[in-house]
Amino acid sequence: MYYLDYQSTTPLAPEALEAMLPWLAGPDGEGFANPASQYRAGRAAAAAVEVARDQVAALLPPGGRVYFTSGATEALNWALVCGAQLAPGGLAGSAIEHHAALQRLEDEGARLIPVGADGLVPPPDPAMLPENGLVALMLVNNEVGTIQPVADYAAAAHAKGSLLICDAVQAYGRMAIPEGPDLIAISAHKLHGPKGIGALWVRDGLRLAPWMLGGGQEQNMRSGTVSPALVAGFGAAARLMADRKEADAAHVARLWEVATGMLAGWTINGSTEHRYRGNLNVRREGVNAIRLLSDLREVAFSLGSACGSGSGKTSHVLRAMGLDERATHASIRLGFGRYTSEEELRTALGLINDAAERQLRFAA
């Protein structure tokens, strides 16, 4: 399989797996201990959790605390639900937020900030932002890769006494997270870490309510036994992102050049300037993307967000950008990164182009 779906999930880094294994040890080892236990093995597990917490926090702005969650979906729900208790003045957010945030925004009657054809929100308009409320803005869009002006919106939100929640899932480890957000959601499996672990970063001084009650883990903020293995894998993946930042960025830039060159007959959805270049969302007139996905069993790519791929609905992101139904149905999302070789990419794109040409010839 040629894997081009890095926005959905990324391959687990060998270093992350290696960091996890000691904390999965069976009866012949001590790594299975509960980190809340007070005997030696439990304290060792707790220490590993704190080391990983520091590794994860190192890629986030200073002046905040990392709380581990089951993933970014939980982190965003925590931020939106408990954040609204602190700032009850209403909600606003971009029309292209991930469903984990967008569904609550819509359910609560939030003001949805439109985006242009380039997939970018406009400069902040104070009239669109609530007083003493919440503003949700993702840093890198998961479907088209556009980079949003989070720092500008954070400043505008603060000027109205509101808080800013940032979904940094697709950006974390790949670019600097700007200072300004009050709450930041991240996920390990988007940066070569394990699934089932994410985090919510909470700005110092923000008294967010606990999300889950019970044994008082995570400083009484999110009860439930913490998995040292998942946390250690998250920490190792974060450390590796920091160590490989320049090499990964150069590799992705090269793959972007190859991909855009080979897909010259396709139209890129969204800004090419303000964009993470490991995300290439393209369309070709006359192509049926669903049929293309079905025909190419050996290439893994997507039609948009993996979370909504089974719904049968067209992409809310592409619709918000003004694409009609025909254009959205002709669009595919390609994601690549650290473990994608240039040869693999060229072969996969050749197969995609060939399948698209066959469709167009048949339709003619």
Side-chain angles (χ1 to χ4, degrees), residues 82 107 186 210 240 256 282 323 338:
C82 294
D107 289 349
I186 56 176
L240 196 61
W256 169 271
V282 293
L323 272 66
R338 180 187 300 162

Side-chain angles (χ1 to χ4, degrees), residues 75-92 101 104-105 107-110 130-136 161-165 182-183 200 202 206-211:
L76 284 168
N77 276 269
W78 182 4
L80 286 162
V81 172
C82 294
Q85 298 171 9
L86 290 174
L91 299 173
R104 183 163 294 278
L105 291 173
D107 289 349
E108 298 296 327
E131 293 272 2
N132 188 34
L134 296 177
V135 179
S162 294
L163 303 176
L164 187 123
I165 299 169
D182 301 285
L183 299 155
L200 179 66
V202 181
L206 198 64
R207 293 183 175 273
L208 198 68
W211 178 235

Side-chain angles (χ1 to χ4, degrees), residues 229-265:
L230 292 178
V231 169
F234 193 177
R239 185 190 69 240
L240 196 61
M241 291 296 283
D243 293 344
R244 292 183 54 100
K245 183 178 180 180
E246 292 183 3
D248 282 353
H251 182 57
V252 166
R254 172 57 186 160
L255 295 178
W256 169 271
E257 291 180 2
V258 170
T260 52
M262 291 191 66
L263 297 174

Side-chain angles (χ1 to χ4, degrees), residues 73-319:
T73 292
E74 181 188 339
L76 284 168
N77 276 269
W78 182 4
L80 286 162
V81 172
C82 294
Q85 298 171 9
L86 290 174
L91 299 173
S94 83
I96 60 170
E97 294 300 299
H98 188 278
H99 287 293
L102 186 65
Q103 184 172 339
R104 183 163 294 278
L105 291 173
E106 292 179 334
D107 289 349
E108 298 296 327
R111 300 171 185 169
L112 293 184
I113 301 166
V115 297
D118 57 2
L120 298 171
V121 294
D125 177 1
M128 289 291 294
L129 306 181
E131 293 272 2
N132 188 34
L134 296 177
V135 179
L137 185 63
M138 63 196 330
L139 183 51
V140 172
N141 182 262
N142 58 307
E143 291 198 31
V144 295
T146 47
I147 301 172
Q148 306 299 330
V150 165
D152 293 343
Y153 270 79
H158 294 162
K160 299 198 69 172
S162 294
L163 303 176
L164 187 123
I165 299 169
C166 178
D167 171 352
V169 169
Q170 300 289 343
Y172 176 74
R174 296 182 173 90
M175 63 188 67
I177 308 300
E179 296 188 34
D182 301 285
L183 299 155
I184 301 174
I186 56 176
S187 181
H189 76 100
K190 306 295 188 178
L191 60 136
H192 309 293
K195 298 174 183 65
I197 185 73
L200 179 66
W201 177 92
V202 181
R203 175 178 55 76
D204 288 343
L206 198 64
R207 293 183 175 273
L208 198 68
W211 178 235
M212 296 173 68
L213 303 178
Q217 290 88 347
E218 291 297 277
Q219 297 190 15
N220 291 313
M221 293 292 283
R222 197 260 186 191
S223 292
T225 301
V226 177
S227 168
L230 292 178
V231 169
F234 193 177
R239 185 190 69 240
L240 196 61
M241 291 296 283
D243 293 344
R244 292 183 54 100
K245 183 178 180 180
E246 292 183 3
D248 282 353
H251 182 57
V252 166
R254 172 57 186 160
L255 295 178
W256 169 271
E257 291 180 2
V258 170
T260 52
M262 291 191 66
L263 297 174
W266 298 68
T267 299
I268 297 175
N269 292 324
S271 170
T272 57
E273 179 183 359
H274 301 286
R275 187 192 199 102
Y276 169 62
R277 285 173 170 73
N279 180 318
L280 181 57
N281 194 304
V282 293
R283 69 183 188 272
R284 187 167 180 182
E285 186 175 353
V287 167
N288 183 315
I290 296 176
R291 186 180 304 164
L292 195 68
L293 186 65
S294 176
D295 290 344
L296 288 168
R297 301 296 177 89
E298 64 270 55
V299 183
F301 62 98
S302 73
L303 308 181
S305 172
C307 306
S309 60
S311 67
K313 299 179 181 178
T314 57
S315 163
H316 73 283
V317 173
L318 297 181
R319 294 198 309 272

